[in-house]
Amino acid sequence: MKHHLYRLTPVLIATVLAALLASCKKQESFGVDETLPGCISLTYDEDNSSATSIALYWDWRPALAAGASSFTVQLVKKTTAGAGNVYDAVQSKTYAVADVKSPGKVIFTGLSANGRWYVRGRANYPGARMSGWTYLLREDRPDEIAVVLVGKGIFDGPISTITKASAELVKATSSTLSFTWSSTDFKDIDTDCYESYDIQLYRDAACQDLEVSFLLTPGGTPAFTATNRPCFIFGGLDADTPYWFKVSDRTDPENILEGDAVEVRTLASQVVPLKTEAASEGEIILFEDFSELAWGGSYMDQENAAGYSSQQRSNAPSFLKATGSNPVGTATVMRYYLVSIGQDIPMFNNLMTPLAATRLAGWGWICEANAVARLCSQCGHLKLGTGSGCAEIVTAPLDCLSGAATLEVSFKAMPMMAADLRSYIVEIIRGATLSDTNHQVIVDAAGRIPVIQEEMEAGQTMKSYTVTIPGVLPGDRIAIGSNEYKRNGKYIRMLLDDLSIKVQSYE
């Protein structure tokens, strides 16, 4: 379908000027006036649309003749008057007729391929007056509002494809569960990101024993997008325990889309607290899965999950998990709040008080330029390094060794982002002490003994690594992290989980 341009004739110019002069008189009313012409014959412009854009045109002459000063055109998911966000430049465009050569056309760019939209436009007039909305209609059924499928054109189907919400498990660990959900059978992520949801985690199949629930609304935190689909991680859960997850789409209070419960189970715990008594050959002296870190989001294994944190995190007696119905806001004791996808928390400056009640109480850190905030926690695992520098987590002293030992150190890790460098380091830390304030590792240069400097595998999934470390003495610590010696001004950010230390043999 071709785009048509219109020229201003002398008669039309005279008509427009007369209308503009008339509009200068004091208006007796404001708001929507259905008698005012709007975007007449709003049409999908197939020739100028693309795989990621929607082009439109309309007959602008009647509105201009009536004194219109601007046009507003929107992509919306619902046909209610307040559905569009005029501040969203991707989905809403308003421009003065004086600023463009041909005011009857517009192109929305940067859209997600296969996204589905309604299209509407109106004319705006002086005195805060405006026409009613004109919707793009189907040509074959002109009494029906059209759905535009980005990259395809008019779509023979609804915005949503099902009449209930649905959910899927993304990842389970011994202490976390993450879920994604949809109101369109996972066929229209744009729509899914735009809805309001009540996500609920239960401890029983009847969904009566509520663990916790959260209300999520579009435009706030967390903000979901086509590249970061709706996903949420629940932390601090019991190991090897069944849970049931439900989601309800509450965008339209009069038409709530209730989902079926999804039954899942957390993994069994493998935790071995760091031994204090003498360890034997072949014995695992530590298995740490960081399951006590219940707050934050997650990038692990491409979960890209939002989560929650506490405004009381610096003073909390422990990592208290959120419970009950939407426990968010200043009125709650812990003042929980929702956090964005993958949100991390600087660990040894913001979380020292709750850390004191965990298995990590005697652990410490080494960070590039002594910047403590470069070591962070996410929900159920660690993030070592930020965009500004590298970080290493340092275990408590291995006092359980009865002599010089060869250790087998295993862990899971991944680069946080695909573009990050992948170099990691494992070190023996000897003769170290911890600062009183934030557990910075104080050690002479000779007390840092690099064992291995290798590269993680490419890709955003956790991989297993095993390092054999000879010559470890009683009281030594083990450090693992992103390798500042290889950074060269680049990013090295790694996620770490399931750290295991085994006494292979005594020397």
Side-chain angles (χ1 to χ4, degrees):
M1 188 174 292
K2 301 294 184 182
H3 177 72
H4 303 284
L5 299 178
Y6 301 93
R7 298 183 180 275
L8 294 176
T9 65
V11 174
L12 183 56
I13 291 175
T15 303
V16 170
L17 289 175
L20 291 174
L21 289 173
S23 70
C24 293
K25 298 179 182 180
K26 182 177 180 180
Q27 300 295 333
E28 299 298 330
S29 61
F30 60 90
V32 176
D33 184 342
E34 297 290 351
T35 66
L36 293 172
C39 296
I40 305 299
S41 300
L42 185 60
T43 304
Y44 177 73
D45 185 354
E46 181 178 355
D47 290 347
N48 291 304
S49 297
S50 73
T52 57
S53 67
I54 293 175
L56 307 153
Y57 65 86
W58 62 93
D59 186 353
W60 47 269
R61 295 171 297 176
L64 194 61
S69 56
S70 66
F71 291 95
T72 297
V73 185
Q74 294 181 333
L75 306 180
V76 294
K77 295 295 187 181
K78 295 187 177 298
T79 58
T80 53
N85 181 357
V86 295
Y87 300 105
D88 188 330
V90 175
Q91 300 170 18
S92 183
K93 296 184 182 296
T94 298
Y95 53 88
V97 295
D99 294 338
V100 291
K101 293 181 180 179
S102 179
K105 64 178 182 179
V106 68
I107 299 179
F108 293 88
T109 60
L111 305 176
S112 299
N114 297 317
R116 305 176 198 181
W117 299 97
Y118 297 125
V119 179
R120 68 185 184 186
R122 75 181 183 206
N124 306 307
Y125 293 81
R129 296 179 304 152
M130 61 199 72
S131 71
W133 289 110
T134 297
Y135 282 85
L136 177 66
L137 303 176
R138 294 181 63 110
E139 291 186 0
D140 56 339
R141 297 195 290 272
D143 59 340
E144 182 178 322
I145 296 175
V147 175
V148 177
L149 181 65
V150 179
K152 303 295 183 182
I154 306 302
F155 175 64
D156 191 16
I159 285 282
S160 295
T161 58
I162 58 174
T163 57
K164 67 178 181 179
S166 55
E168 295 178 354
L169 175 70
V170 175
K171 183 177 177 63
T173 72
S174 64
S175 66
T176 69
L177 294 169
S178 59
F179 299 89
T180 186
W181 59 87
S182 172
S183 296
T184 66
D185 201 21
F186 299 98
K187 290 181 171 62
D188 186 354
I189 298 178
D190 280 321
T191 296
D192 295 335
C193 295
Y194 196 77
E195 308 296 80
S196 296
Y197 298 100
D198 185 5
I199 58 172
Q200 310 135 26
L201 190 66
Y202 292 92
R203 301 182 68 94
D204 66 321
C207 294
Q208 299 296 315
D209 185 5
L210 178 67
E211 172 80 10
V212 66
S213 68
F214 293 101
L215 295 175
L216 308 179
T217 57
T221 300
F224 301 119
T225 66
T227 54
N228 285 310
R229 71 203 188 292
C231 186
F232 195 91
I233 186 168
F234 298 88
L237 305 179
D238 296 333
D240 195 21
T241 300
Y243 290 90
W244 286 260
F245 177 80
K246 288 185 66 175
V247 59
S248 299
D249 183 337
R250 296 180 174 269
T251 308
D252 183 354
E254 296 182 359
N255 183 32
I256 295 175
L257 306 180
E258 191 82 21
D260 295 328
V262 177
E263 181 180 1
V264 295
R265 194 178 194 93
T266 51
L267 303 183
S269 176
Q270 301 180 66
V271 166
V272 176
L274 182 59
K275 289 182 65 67
T276 55
E277 66 274 13
S280 304
E281 289 186 347
E283 188 173 5
I284 293 176
I285 61 173
L286 171 72
F287 189 100
E288 181 52 66
D289 64 0
F290 307 103
S291 55
E292 293 166 301
L293 305 177
W295 307 334
S298 173
Y299 283 119
M300 189 165 69
D301 288 329
Q302 300 183 78
E303 279 178 295
N304 291 355
Y308 67 89
S309 184
S310 168
Q311 293 181 14
Q312 295 292 99
R313 59 186 177 275
S314 296
N315 303 311
S318 65
F319 287 90
L320 296 172
K321 65 180 178 181
T323 58
S325 177
N326 198 39
V328 172
T330 56
T332 60
V333 174
M334 289 296 292
R335 301 174 67 188
Y336 292 116
Y337 65 100
L338 300 175
V339 298
S340 301
I341 291 169
Q343 179 69 54
D344 49 56
I345 307 170
M347 193 161 87
F348 285 98
N349 52 350
N350 284 349
L351 303 174
M352 284 301 296
T353 300
L355 278 174
T358 71
R359 298 183 297 270
L360 307 179
W363 294 42
W365 58 272
I366 295 173
C367 291
E368 188 175 346
N370 297 325
V372 61
R374 290 171 181 165
L375 195 155
C376 303
S377 70
Q378 292 188 343
C379 189
H381 59 276
L382 299 183
K383 174 190 167 190
L384 305 176
T386 64
S388 56
C390 293
E392 296 176 59
I393 186 69
V394 183
T395 69
L398 306 182
D399 293 328
C400 62
L401 299 180
S402 59
T406 296
L407 302 183
E408 181 182 279
V409 176
S410 301
F411 55 91
K412 292 179 181 177
M414 60 170 267
M416 194 185 85
M417 296 294 178
D420 288 4
L421 297 182
R422 295 181 276 118
S423 182
Y424 70 89
I425 187 170
V426 179
E427 299 185 88
I428 298 172
I429 305 299
R430 182 165 294 161
T433 59
L434 302 182
S435 68
D436 293 334
T437 55
N438 60 12
H439 284 199
Q440 180 181 4
V441 173
I442 311 299
V443 63
D444 294 335
R448 293 183 63 175
I449 307 169
V451 175
I452 190 171
Q453 300 182 58
E454 296 286 352
E455 285 199 350
M456 293 174 283
E457 295 182 36
Q460 270 50 70
T461 57
M462 298 290 278
K463 301 293 196 317
S464 297
Y465 301 88
T466 299
V467 179
T468 299
I469 308 179
V472 182
L473 303 180
D476 285 351
R477 301 169 183 259
I478 301 298
I480 302 173
S482 50
N483 188 358
E484 67 176 281
Y485 304 113
K486 302 289 186 179
R487 191 168 77 86
N488 296 323
K490 307 293 185 180
Y491 289 4
I492 307 180
R493 299 167 295 182
M494 63 181 289
L495 304 184
L496 180 78
D497 200 10
D498 291 351
L499 172 58
S500 172
I501 300 178
K502 177 181 178 180
V503 178
Q504 192 175 86
S505 63
Y506 283 107
E507 299 172 7

